[in-house]
Amino acid sequence: MKQYLFLFGCMLTGSAAQAQTDTVRASTLPPAQLAEKYYNSGVAKFNDKSYNAALQDFDRALAAKPDFARAYYNRAATRYELKQYAPAVQDYNEAIRLDPSTFTAWYGRAQARQAQGQAAEAEQDYGKVTELKPDYAAAWYDRGALRFEKGDYQAALQDFTQATKVDAKYAYAWHDRASAERQLGQPEAAVRDYTEALRLNPDLHVALLNRAAAKRRLKDYKGALEDYSDYLRRRSDDPVGYLGRAGARYEAGEYQAAVDDLTQALKLRPDYALALNNRAAAYQQLKNYKAAEADASAAINQNPQYAEAYLNRGHAREMLRNVPGACADWRKAAELGITAGTAYAANSGCEQ
């Protein structure tokens, strides 16, 4: 779901190179000019993606001028590209100390901290960016993504909303706002926002999957099936698309079509436990209890802690007159957290 924007490259700034031949030895330049010379060289090498060479030039620039805020910032961006996240944070710290009003350093530090798994610190830095530059949509979006990931969907919704206000063409922000709305039980709003995301970026295929899921919540199975089918026309090699369409077909009572989709998903991914369990449920609706038992067993082999698969296998075994097996499966489902397993066991006389 999550699409993060890494903008370090485009933030590097430097003076244009002089056209004339430089005949002055670097060592004879005053420190400020020497620093600027190495700085500009570092920017050019960064833009050519020669990151190690750029790093050396920024090192030289800072050796000549230790309070050169832009050189700290750009060395940090270079270290980020080299995945040297901890040193990048140190350089961003210096850039912020020397010039705390520059939002790009706060944003860069946020991304470096996020890359290290320091979500709380990154969230704080993104917040500082929104204070310094409220019209910077990427900061609102990235903070929203962090808040979504930790389950604070209301706060995430507010951030994604702000991102769309700042940049009405920000397709990912519309998409992720829709996902927050789904989590908050607002499927109608989610469908509208997924639709807007697709209007802005028709190649955002995941929006079709997510809009289909929102439509299923609204019991709009026809609309959901259209979205899943559209997605599968574009991504016929994705088992998740077949799994989703099978779910919509199951909910619409099209059990054989659901089996067909799940079979296709399993051709693409034979170890797909969720598809195996769901096909077991569809087979049960078709009264093919042997196939249901086999699929549920296969799902359990893939995931021995799969409570729903035990529950489904219990139902299949009950219909196959394997009462001891059914009772054992229902008890296991209850042990793994599905309380209905206890009720099924009691109602079927398993305790007698």
Side-chain angles (χ1 to χ4, degrees):
M1 177 202 67
K2 301 297 168 290
Q3 303 288 334
Y4 296 112
L5 305 179
F6 298 101
L7 305 176
F8 293 104
C10 66
M11 291 181 189
L12 288 171
T13 58
S15 303
Q18 298 297 316
Q20 68 271 22
T21 302
D22 185 356
T23 59
V24 180
R25 290 175 56 84
S27 60
T28 67
L29 292 172
Q33 288 182 261
L34 182 63
E36 195 73 29
K37 177 184 177 71
Y38 283 128
Y39 171 81
N40 290 336
S41 176
V43 169
K45 289 173 182 176
F46 182 98
N47 290 333
D48 287 338
K49 298 186 178 180
S50 299
Y51 299 124
N52 285 310
L55 193 62
Q56 292 176 0
D57 279 343
F58 292 132
D59 286 344
R60 294 185 182 106
L62 287 165
K65 186 180 178 183
D67 61 348
F68 197 170
R70 284 181 297 147
Y72 278 113
Y73 168 78
N74 286 312
R75 189 172 70 174
T78 305
R79 284 175 161 168
Y80 182 93
E81 293 295 336
L82 292 168
K83 295 182 170 45
Q84 299 174 6
Y85 302 124
V89 168
Q90 293 174 359
D91 277 347
Y92 282 126
N93 289 343
E94 281 301 301
I96 290 168
R97 183 183 67 81
L98 292 165
D99 186 2
S101 64
T102 303
F103 79 94
T104 52
W106 292 93
Y107 184 78
R109 191 173 72 174
Q111 294 210 311
R113 284 175 159 177
Q114 187 173 349
Q116 293 185 94
Q118 299 172 355
E121 292 84 353
E123 184 178 337
Q124 290 177 353
D125 280 349
Y126 287 132
K128 184 65 176 180
V129 178
T130 65
E131 295 174 13
L132 292 170
K133 191 169 177 59
D135 63 346
Y136 193 52
W140 293 105
Y141 173 80
D142 286 339
R143 189 175 70 173
L146 285 176
R147 289 174 164 179
F148 186 98
E149 288 172 358
K150 71 178 184 180
D152 191 351
Y153 302 118
Q154 188 61 52
L157 177 61
Q158 293 171 359
D159 279 347
F160 293 138
T161 298
Q162 191 61 36
T164 62
K165 289 180 179 179
V166 170
D167 182 358
K169 296 182 180 180
Y170 201 159
Y172 291 126
W174 287 103
H175 176 275
D176 288 4
R177 188 173 87 153
S179 294
E181 287 162 343
R182 275 179 59 201
Q183 294 293 336
L184 292 168
Q186 303 169 18
E188 291 182 354
V191 168
R192 288 195 297 271
D193 282 350
Y194 286 133
T195 301
E196 180 63 11
L198 284 163
R199 186 188 71 80
L200 293 166
N201 183 358
D203 293 328
L204 191 56
H205 300 156
V206 69
L208 287 167
L209 284 181
N210 289 329
R211 187 173 68 177
K215 288 178 177 179
R216 286 171 62 184
R217 185 83 64 88
L218 293 167
K219 302 189 186 305
D220 177 10
Y221 302 124
K222 179 181 178 182
L225 288 170
E226 289 173 352
D227 279 349
Y228 284 127
S229 296
D230 190 4
Y231 177 81
L232 288 167
R233 279 191 290 271
R234 308 177 192 205
R235 294 287 308 279
S236 60
D237 61 342
D238 186 0
V240 174
Y242 290 103
L243 179 78
R245 190 169 71 176
R249 286 176 162 169
Y250 182 96
E251 291 159 358
E254 301 175 8
Y255 302 120
Q256 185 57 56
V259 166
D260 294 342
D261 272 345
L262 292 164
T263 299
Q264 184 60 36
L266 288 162
K267 286 180 181 178
L268 294 167
R269 182 179 166 187
D271 63 347
Y272 203 171
L274 184 56
L276 286 163
N277 180 64
N278 288 1
R279 192 170 67 172
Y283 274 135
Q284 287 195 68
Q285 294 295 332
L286 294 169
K287 300 186 180 351
N288 188 344
Y289 301 117
K290 287 186 178 180
E293 180 187 27
D295 273 354
S297 295
I300 291 166
N301 286 339
Q302 294 296 330
N303 179 8
Q305 303 302 307
Y306 199 164
E308 290 81 0
Y310 284 105
L311 195 71
N312 279 334
R313 191 172 70 175
H315 294 324
R317 285 179 166 176
E318 180 186 35
M319 300 307 296
L320 292 169
R321 303 296 186 265
N322 179 0
V323 176
C327 291
D329 280 344
W330 288 329
R331 291 191 189 105
K332 184 64 175 179
E335 176 187 322
L336 292 171
I338 297 182
T339 56
T342 301
Y344 284 125
N347 292 337
S348 298
C350 292
E351 303 305 324
Q352 296 179 8

